[in-house]
Amino acid sequence: MCGLFSKMAQKIDSIALTTNWPVGPVNVYLIYGEKLTLIDTGLKNDQSWKELNEALHERGLDIRDIEQIILTHHHSDHAGLLERIIEKNPVPIYAHENARPYIERDVAFNQWSKEFFRELFTEFGVSDRLAQRLNHHKKKKLTESSLVLEKELKEGDGVPGLSSWKVIETKGHSQDHISLYCSDSRVLICGDHIIKGTPAGIFLDAPPLGEERAKPLIQYIDNLKKCLHLPVDQTFSGHGPTITNLDDAIHEQLERIENRASRVKNILKKHSGTGFEITQEMYPKRFQQSLGLFVSEITSVLDLLQQRNEVGAIKKRGKYIYHLLN
Ligand SMILES: [Zn+2]
């Protein structure tokens, strides 16, 4: 797909790279600005590497022609190929400040992140044995990275090498999520902030060392509303099709969140319980396979319901027991 905009604007090209995940291929983007910019990279595997290189060759380009990389967020389908690209072509990397420990593979942060999740699972009511299994994949020793985040991007910043673009912080999907907006082209590149037809993926991330965790669903709703009425004709997502009616897509996400919140409330109407008990009741067949995802999803819904004073929580023996208020 190739989009050509007004003469002021810069051409954007979308490249879909295979993931074999339910969410489908990841879309990475080339922006032909003052600097040829790659937005996101694809997964760290040979197939993505081959597909990215082929896509560049089809456009008469080579990996060495890329002049800078911007990440919408640190997830592996968006940042996985970073190292392989930088090995061939050491260009500057730009991302949100919260992406730094993932990009640079900060060992202290990684250790802190493990502790953070261990406590979170306990508070959620996951048994120690199950929590250990969940953490199993995180036991892999972190290897050093030579990658360096060149410059941190935050809300309202201009984008180096892309003069008509601005950064919009869109935390919620992750704590380092940014979107890029070009008012000249009326285009938004929104990463995984909004994916058409796919429920919001809300992930808990460990906060910066020693800080309190964020409440990602509350942030997410605020950041959906921030993007409402943005003058855009096309919104390019990290997965799925281009969105041509952003406001509709946002309302659809807001509605899905309310449905999710109602389902949690309906369970709590019957009895109080831990996050884990709510998850088991809500997803009786699926909770085991994707428990990590559900811990994020249900915890973040419970954050929202607590903020709305609809749900209360009492901590007993390390676990939060949630109950409906009034
Ligand atoms: Zn993501």
Side-chain angles (χ1 to χ4, degrees):
M1 186 212 69
C2 165
L4 206 51
F5 302 99
S6 73
K7 59 180 184 300
M8 284 282 293
Q10 294 146 345
K11 199 180 115 182
I12 303 172
D13 240 346
S14 161
I15 299 170
L17 302 174
T18 306
T19 68
N20 296 324
W21 291 358
V23 72
V26 60
N27 301 319
V28 304
Y29 295 94
L30 282 173
I31 305 181
Y32 302 79
E34 298 92 273
K35 294 269 166 88
L36 178 63
T37 306
L38 178 66
I39 313 288
D40 294 337
T41 71
L43 279 172
K44 183 184 183 173
N45 61 34
D46 290 343
Q47 186 177 12
S48 292
W49 178 247
K50 188 166 163 270
E51 287 174 358
L52 177 63
N53 278 280
E54 279 171 3
L56 290 170
H57 294 158
E58 278 166 22
R59 290 159 176 80
L61 297 167
D62 183 85
I63 206 86
R64 290 176 196 85
D65 292 321
I66 292 166
E67 294 178 287
Q68 57 180 21
I69 299 172
I70 302 175
L71 296 180
T72 59
H73 63 300
H74 72 275
H75 288 168
S76 58
D77 49 336
H78 295 260
L81 271 184
L82 207 50
E83 230 161 345
R84 208 145 164 189
I85 298 169
I86 296 297
E87 235 170 64
K88 288 256 181 238
N89 181 13
V91 294
I93 303 163
Y94 303 104
H96 189 273
E97 63 172 333
N98 290 343
R100 188 184 289 280
Y102 301 99
I103 293 171
E104 298 181 358
R105 289 211 288 269
D106 182 328
V107 176
F109 178 80
N110 186 259
Q111 189 53 40
W112 152 249
S113 179
K114 281 181 192 166
E115 284 163 28
F116 167 81
F117 280 105
R118 199 172 302 135
E119 190 177 342
L120 189 86
F121 290 147
T122 305
E123 289 174 343
F124 194 76
V126 177
S127 70
D128 287 349
R129 243 183 57 209
L130 207 51
Q132 259 175 12
R133 244 177 53 199
L134 277 173
N135 271 325
H136 189 68
H137 68 283
K138 293 186 178 153
K139 276 193 182 142
K140 232 171 60 185
K141 202 165 167 16
L142 204 66
T143 50
E144 296 238 316
S145 159
S146 55
L147 297 176
V148 177
L149 178 61
E150 175 89 8
K151 186 176 182 285
E152 297 168 351
L153 298 177
K154 60 175 190 312
E155 176 78 17
D157 279 355
V159 182
L162 300 175
S163 55
S164 49
W165 292 75
K166 282 238 168 324
V167 175
I168 301 179
E169 277 191 11
T170 41
K171 290 178 185 175
H173 177 74
S174 66
Q175 288 305 305
D176 63 338
H177 201 290
I178 56 168
S179 299
L180 302 172
Y181 174 57
C182 180
S183 55
D184 290 347
S185 323
R186 297 171 61 89
V187 163
L188 180 70
I189 294 181
C190 74
D192 290 356
H193 182 47
I194 303 159
I195 302 169
K196 198 173 160 61
T198 301
I202 302 297
F203 296 94
L204 287 161
D205 289 339
L209 228 101
E211 288 183 22
E212 286 281 297
R213 75 166 173 87
K215 299 189 169 164
L217 186 58
I218 296 168
Q219 292 173 317
Y220 183 68
I221 291 170
D222 287 346
N223 287 325
L224 280 178
K225 288 179 179 166
K226 184 162 75 177
C227 295
L228 258 183
H229 313 308
L230 204 61
V232 289
D233 299 322
Q234 286 179 295
T235 299
F236 296 113
S237 300
H239 305 270
T242 302
I243 298 167
T244 49
N245 190 330
L246 181 61
D247 285 3
D248 277 1
I250 291 172
H251 286 300
E252 194 186 301
Q253 289 299 347
L254 289 169
E255 213 171 289
R256 282 175 196 264
I257 292 165
E258 291 311 317
N259 288 340
R260 208 180 266 180
S262 298
R263 289 180 66 195
V264 170
K265 266 167 50 182
N266 284 339
I267 291 170
L268 290 176
K269 254 180 215 159
K270 293 184 274 176
H271 55 81
S272 55
T274 64
F276 186 50
E277 285 160 351
I278 296 166
T279 306
Q280 282 173 291
E281 205 159 327
M282 220 159 127
Y283 301 107
K285 290 194 181 126
R286 295 199 288 140
F287 78 92
Q288 289 249 16
Q289 296 136 297
S290 312
L291 188 53
L293 300 182
F294 292 135
V295 171
S296 283
E297 178 185 312
I298 301 300
T299 301
S300 63
V301 170
L302 290 164
D303 286 344
L304 178 71
L305 292 172
Q306 282 178 286
Q307 190 220 29
R308 291 177 174 175
N309 284 322
E310 294 186 74
V311 163
I314 297 165
K315 202 167 186 179
K316 271 188 195 161
R317 277 183 242 111
K319 301 174 197 175
Y320 282 112
I321 317 285
Y322 296 91
H323 58 274
L324 215 54
L325 294 172
N326 57 58

